[in-house]
Amino acid sequence: MNQPLYAVPAEWAARAHVDAKGYGARHAESLADSAGFWQREAQIVDWMTPFTTVDESCFDEAGFGIRWFGDGELNVSANCLDRHLATLGDTPAILWEGDDPADTRTISYRELHADVCRFANILKAQGVRKGDRVTLYMPMIPEAAMAMLACTRIGAIHSIVFGGFSPEALAGRIQDCDSTLVITADEGLRCGKTIPLKANVDAALTNCPSVERVIVVRRTGNPVAMQPGRDIWYHEARDGVSDDCVPEPMNAEDPLFLLYTSGSTGKPKGVVHTTGGYLVWAAMTHKYVFDYRPGEVFWCTADIGWVTGHSYVVYGPLANGATTLMFEGVPNHPDFGRFWDICDRWGVNIFYTAPTALRALMREGDAWVTRASRQSLRLLGSVGEPINSEAWEWYHRVVGDHRCPIVDTYWQTETGGTLMSPLPGATALKPGSAAVPMFGIEPVLVDAEGQVLEGVADGNLCIARSWPGQMRTVWNDHARFFQTYFTTYPGRYFTGDGCRRDDDGYYWITGRVDDVINVSGHRMGTAEVESALVAHPKVAEAAVVGCPHPIKGQGIYAYVTLNAGEDGDDALRAELVKWVRREIGPIATPDVIQFAPGLPKTRSGKIMRRILRKIAENEVDSLGDISTLADPSVVAALVEARGAPS
Ligand code: WTA
């Protein structure tokens, strides 16, 4: 905790949107006079009908519900496009660089507006109406952002499924929300290799009766099967379609999008975000956390399949009239200097990425970074997982030349946008700390019994009151929403994260305290990997935990008990890895599979995951009390045979 402090650079304190005094005053105001604060700050978006109520949320069981700006009306695409046309019509809205560095596009606000209107008209012509669900399974190309915005223009609810998920995972997400239309591309591209997106959609749709139409964007141009009557080429449908489409006035609480995310139990849940509060939160956090100024180029490296891509590739930046950079490729293709070359090529001012990418690049040496000038960079950001201090210092010293503050933004799919972060003009930096709460956020640390911990403390992180960007429900399962987030510590939103508050009042996220693991900044429920494993005919039982991994942050460590008579050998290991990749997708690839004749269980049959975690972490000297196990001897056998990620 005695980390060096990096003071706010003087020029930042002088010209940032918020300085230290401003932060303190505004955060205090946001809690003391929430209605007044949000009445003013919510004007960051344009309302078609002004709201007269602000926060009507309640975290208690009686009267439970989340509701903000409840009688206001607005349209997200109008906020992201139409209102900028008069002043920013010719300004680039999207700068795009493909997998191949020579493949680029620049799309002005005027062009994006026209394309979104056309796309919206195509959706309408295919029968999509307000409230219908549209699933996107797309590569990182501008048409993905156009499709998102087109949905918002007509009030359709988009559900983006990351292009790395398997057909099975895609099908489950389509079935859960009964999408009627899917938007995809012929293929994706990654390091020059193609990804069969359309073929995956075809495989998924053998099991999705709700889907009536598939719109296919041509990306690689390689031949793909098209099912007559169901599949439509985007470039053909676009011919002759009007670029005029009146934005649908939406109630602030109308659903904007669904995004499936992993929890500690069961299948991924459809996180529901609504129109008004989400957009206010995305825009406001983008403005203050990144200190965004007109004319700057903002680059968030996240894929739109994750919440970071929703809030900080598309909605936050475009609502603020920013120029957002969209990148299809990966950091190590054609070489390890790709990120920094892009910064130079496009004059990136604000760069936002995940610690896992930084750790992977850091070990390749500084020369890949220093061959680029990086003179345009002003601010750096980190998101998705705790950033270790070595990676932080490297980011600061090598990438930012000691010149650029780093904002370590802590948030979740559920929170819509950043909950905690330093503000670059206001907060001295401590490497590895997400620092201070955003406006309107009231963090509370509690112990296991729910007792509130004051001052310097280490506990479970809850948020005491609602904020506009908070998720509203789990799609089709409001009871699960309440049960998952509001019953562990009644009256509070429980994040699932552990957290420490130091004597300067800085917050340090220590990682998940539930059965969610964070692999390369991607959220994975251990239960999902377990159910994929036990679906294999040779597997009797599986228990999955996280293990430390030098690049990914956490790796996936699976203990597998085979059916009687089956042999656990390397061939079966490889087969199981392939199986999980097929069931869920490559992001769920187990790093270690340890065949375990027995798992540590209590006498009532509950698997003691605490012990499995310790073994996976190689902390075998601190296993704790194992005397309550039905068969304590299994532990020694597991320790003996433990594996390590390669
Ligand atoms: C973790 C991603 C530490 C945390 C936006 C959270 C972080 C989970 C940080 C949400 C950070 C995210 N420092 N941990 N700056 N950012 N996390 O839903 O455990 O994909 O609960 O949202 O990532 O992951 P999700």
Side-chain angles (χ1 to χ4, degrees):
M1 214 75 76
N2 296 323
Q3 308 275 356
L5 269 177
Y6 292 87
V8 177
E11 68 277 17
W12 275 87
R15 51 162 265 178
H17 288 306
V18 185
D19 63 11
K21 228 170 105 202
Y23 168 77
R26 273 209 239 185
H27 187 259
E29 182 205 357
S30 72
L31 300 188
D33 176 20
S34 153
F37 177 87
W38 288 110
Q39 181 63 244
R40 187 185 67 236
E41 294 293 330
Q43 306 313 322
I44 194 167
V45 308
D46 284 356
W47 297 84
M48 291 166 160
T49 308
F51 55 87
T52 63
T53 59
V54 176
D55 178 14
E56 298 172 280
S57 310
C58 171
F59 284 179
D60 297 325
E61 186 157 19
F64 175 73
I66 318 293
R67 193 177 151 87
W68 283 85
F69 317 121
D71 57 353
E73 287 187 313
L74 72 164
N75 180 280
V76 167
S77 80
N79 270 287
C80 291
L81 301 167
D82 305 49
R83 67 167 173 164
H84 304 314
L85 292 182
T87 49
L88 300 171
D90 298 319
T91 301
I94 298 180
L95 306 174
W96 178 79
E97 185 165 312
D99 184 57
D100 175 347
D103 210 357
T104 65
R105 289 163 75 181
T106 298
I107 299 166
S108 70
Y109 269 97
R110 197 180 324 284
E111 290 163 336
L112 185 61
H113 175 263
D115 274 324
V116 166
C117 288
R118 278 192 208 101
F119 213 138
N121 284 330
I122 295 172
L123 293 177
K124 275 196 199 165
Q126 296 308 324
V128 178
R129 300 282 169 265
K130 179 174 174 173
D132 289 352
R133 274 78 59 212
V134 173
T135 295
L136 272 63
Y137 186 67
M138 294 284 278
M140 279 290 281
I141 56 176
E143 283 73 13
M146 291 169 193
M148 293 165 78
L149 290 161
C151 287
T152 73
R153 197 155 189 96
I154 64 172
I157 305 169
H158 63 67
S159 165
I160 307 188
V161 179
F162 174 59
F165 277 120
S166 67
E168 276 78 0
L170 172 61
R173 287 156 170 79
I174 291 173
Q175 289 155 358
D176 185 74
C177 69
D178 297 308
S179 292
T180 52
L181 188 139
V182 175
I183 305 173
T184 189
D186 48 6
E187 293 173 317
L189 268 183
R190 201 182 148 86
C191 303
K193 289 210 259 325
T194 59
I195 298 161
L197 295 176
K198 174 61 166 62
N200 286 353
V201 168
D202 290 340
L205 292 192
T206 56
N207 224 346
C208 298
S210 61
V211 175
E212 292 159 14
R213 291 280 183 280
V214 179
I215 297 178
V216 187
V217 177
R218 195 167 56 189
R219 168 66 188 102
T220 63
N222 291 327
V224 292
M226 295 292 278
Q227 183 175 309
R230 188 194 71 182
D231 302 348
I232 300 154
W233 282 109
Y234 169 70
H235 63 272
E236 287 175 6
R238 195 169 168 277
D239 260 0
V241 170
S242 159
D243 62 4
D244 184 27
C245 174
V246 177
E248 184 76 26
M250 302 296 287
N251 180 272
E253 286 299 338
D254 281 336
L256 176 64
F257 66 80
L258 303 181
L259 184 55
Y260 285 85
T261 193
S262 300
S264 22
T265 55
K267 285 200 253 173
K269 45 186 175 289
V271 166
V272 177
H273 281 291
T274 58
T275 306
Y278 170 82
L279 193 67
V280 167
W281 193 252
M284 187 194 81
T285 52
H286 176 260
K287 174 175 169 190
Y288 292 136
V289 172
F290 299 107
D291 195 56
Y292 185 78
R293 305 189 161 260
E296 288 188 326
V297 176
F298 180 83
W299 180 20
C300 164
T301 67
D303 190 284
I304 49 138
W306 310 111
V307 73
T308 310
H310 285 64
S311 301
Y312 301 116
V313 174
V314 180
Y315 292 122
L318 295 181
N320 288 335
T323 296
T324 186
L325 194 144
M326 214 174 162
F327 175 45
E328 182 185 36
V330 294
N332 56 357
H333 174 79
D335 61 39
F336 294 103
R338 185 73 188 273
F339 272 1
W340 326 118
D341 290 350
I342 293 178
C343 288
D344 279 6
R345 200 150 39 236
W346 297 96
V348 172
N349 304 110
I350 305 167
F351 175 74
Y352 187 36
T353 197
T356 185
L358 297 172
R359 287 191 297 265
L361 294 175
M362 184 168 81
R363 69 169 187 182
E364 301 300 332
D366 298 359
W368 297 109
V369 186
T370 53
R371 82 170 184 201
S373 101
R374 291 157 288 116
Q375 277 313 302
S376 57
L377 286 175
R378 187 167 91 80
L379 180 66
L380 305 172
S382 171
V383 62
E385 51 178 319
I387 180 165
N388 48 311
S389 51
E390 298 74 24
W392 195 103
E393 295 286 359
W394 182 80
Y395 200 20
H396 191 255
R397 175 172 51 83
V398 181
V399 177
D401 284 332
H402 294 289
R403 180 171 47 80
C404 306
I406 297 177
V407 289
D408 178 359
T409 64
Y410 163 71
W411 58 294
Q412 310 177 302
T413 305
E414 293 87 336
T415 72
T418 300
L419 286 187
M420 293 193 196
S421 172
L423 298 190
T427 323
L429 305 174
K430 298 190 185 192
S433 170
V436 293
M438 226 321 104
F439 305 135
I441 298 300
E442 188 183 351
V444 189
L445 300 185
V446 298
D447 66 15
E449 281 70 50
Q451 292 300 316
V452 174
L453 307 168
E454 308 283 355
V456 176
D458 205 331
N460 293 333
L461 177 63
C462 295
I463 309 295
R465 61 167 86 192
S466 186
W467 65 97
Q470 184 170 27
M471 74 182 280
R472 300 301 197 259
T473 189
V474 170
W475 182 256
N476 259 337
D477 201 347
H478 199 52
R480 187 173 174 199
F481 176 50
F482 180 72
Q483 162 66 32
T484 306
Y485 302 101
F486 301 92
T487 56
T488 318
Y489 303 111
R492 305 199 164 95
Y493 169 79
F494 177 40
T495 60
D497 283 302
C499 182
R500 204 159 63 214
R501 185 172 44 222
D502 71 15
D503 47 9
D504 292 323
Y506 277 52
Y507 290 86
W508 301 72
I509 305 298
T510 51
R512 301 288 306 199
V513 295
D514 54 11
D515 291 321
V516 172
I517 53 181
N518 196 324
V519 184
S520 301
H522 299 321
R523 241 168 105 159
M524 186 59 44
T526 53
E528 282 169 73
V529 186
E530 287 164 7
S531 61
L533 283 166
V534 295
H536 189 279
K538 292 183 181 167
V539 174
E541 195 165 38
V544 170
V545 298
C547 62
H549 188 287
I551 304 292
K552 299 179 180 180
Q554 279 189 300
I556 298 178
Y557 195 116
Y559 298 89
V560 172
T561 308
L562 297 174
N563 287 324
E566 299 295 349
D567 247 357
D569 54 14
D570 282 347
L572 183 53
R573 251 193 212 104
E575 186 181 321
L576 291 178
V577 167
K578 216 167 115 198
W579 175 271
V580 173
R581 287 170 65 96
R582 212 189 58 205
E583 290 276 308
I584 305 176
I587 59 168
T589 307
D591 295 278
V592 181
I593 290 185
Q594 175 172 353
F595 292 114
L599 293 171
K601 291 186 185 167
T602 59
R603 290 192 190 92
S604 58
K606 197 166 146 15
I607 296 176
M608 296 277 282
R609 304 173 143 281
R610 176 178 59 81
I611 294 174
L612 294 176
R613 265 187 227 118
K614 289 282 183 200
I615 297 173
E617 289 164 3
N618 200 16
E619 295 197 1
V620 291
D621 297 332
S622 56
L623 292 179
D625 184 11
I626 58 168
S627 63
T628 56
L629 292 179
D631 176 9
S633 74
V634 300
V635 173
L638 288 175
V639 170
E640 178 83 2
R642 77 172 280 283
S646 45

